Amino acid sequence: QVQLQESGPGLVKPSETLSLTCTVSGGSISSFYWSWVRQPPGKGLEWIGYIYYGGNTDYNRSLKSRVTISVDTPKNQFSLRLSAVTAADTAVYYCARNLGAPGGIDVWGQGTTVTVSS
Amino acid sequence: SYVLTQPPSVSVAPGETAKISCGTNNIGSKSVHWYHQRPGQAPVLVISYDHDRPSGIPERFSGSNSGNTATLTISRVEAGDEGDYYCQVWDASTDPLYVFGTGTKVTV
């Protein structure tokens, strides 16, 4: 059974870069699309972007200028970098697996809370 | 980009049926997925591709999609069905590719 685990700092200063890593266990990162989704406190879900194991990416246009998603196949990990963060980027960040490009998200990490504050 | 509109809240008695709508223009031409999120937990996929139930999801959960509205139906509602429900579509012609609905809080 595939499991996902997010890791990274829980506190980031404004204007700095948020960096998170998702470790995939119980299965290979090869094949599937791998997404990052976030949820601000008390609000709904927002898709940030995804990466295909081969390296192709697509991002939410509202974040595109600040987002980079990368994959490390040998380590079975993929990562998120979000630059120039503000308080509006405070959220629970989930890594997730997509059932193909048009598919739903069938596996989610437990989520990690990232707070942007000085 | 477009908005997937859901009712903010639905209240249902145990054993009854809950219906949650998800609306946008011509949603019937897209594949809709549904998620259940309990407080403090990650979402769980309960319906994929309009009406498919992933392994482990009870038959009480069903979905339909036609015209401008997709619907998640929960039959014989149980206390454990409480939480937030989100619809989601993938649309290659828009940005973002993945759009989530506004969310519906189900109270049992």
Side-chain angles (χ1 to χ4, degrees), chain A residues 6-22 36-41 46 48 63 65-70 78-95 111-117:
Chain A
E6 304 90 351
S7 59
L11 181 65
V12 181
K13 290 182 168 56
S15 80
E16 295 189 345
T17 296
L18 177 161
S19 294
L20 297 174
T21 296
C22 182
W36 287 96
V37 176
R38 70 179 183 179
Q39 186 171 35
E46 180 183 32
I48 298 170
L63 301 169
S65 63
R66 300 193 292 130
V67 172
T68 302
I69 297 176
S70 58
F78 63 105
S79 298
L80 169 71
R81 287 174 57 86
L82 181 65
S83 64
V85 297
T86 70
D89 295 310
T90 294
V92 176
Y93 285 76
Y94 296 100
C95 61
T112 187
T113 299
V114 178
T115 302
V116 178
S117 175

Side-chain angles (χ1 to χ4, degrees), chain A residues 39 44-45 47 50 58-59 61 94 98-105 108-109, chain B residues 31 33 35 37 41-45 48-49 86 88 90 95-98 100:
Chain A
Q39 186 171 35
L45 301 166
W47 177 73
Y50 70 44
D58 213 311
Y59 304 128
R61 184 181 297 173
Y94 296 100
N98 295 71
L99 287 169
I105 295 174
W108 297 72
Chain B
S31 291
H33 315 289
Y35 304 89
Q37 185 179 34
Q41 297 188 18
V44 172
L45 181 67
S48 65
Y49 293 104
Y86 295 91
Q88 177 244 315
W90 175 88
D95 184 273
L97 289 177
Y98 292 86
F100 286 96

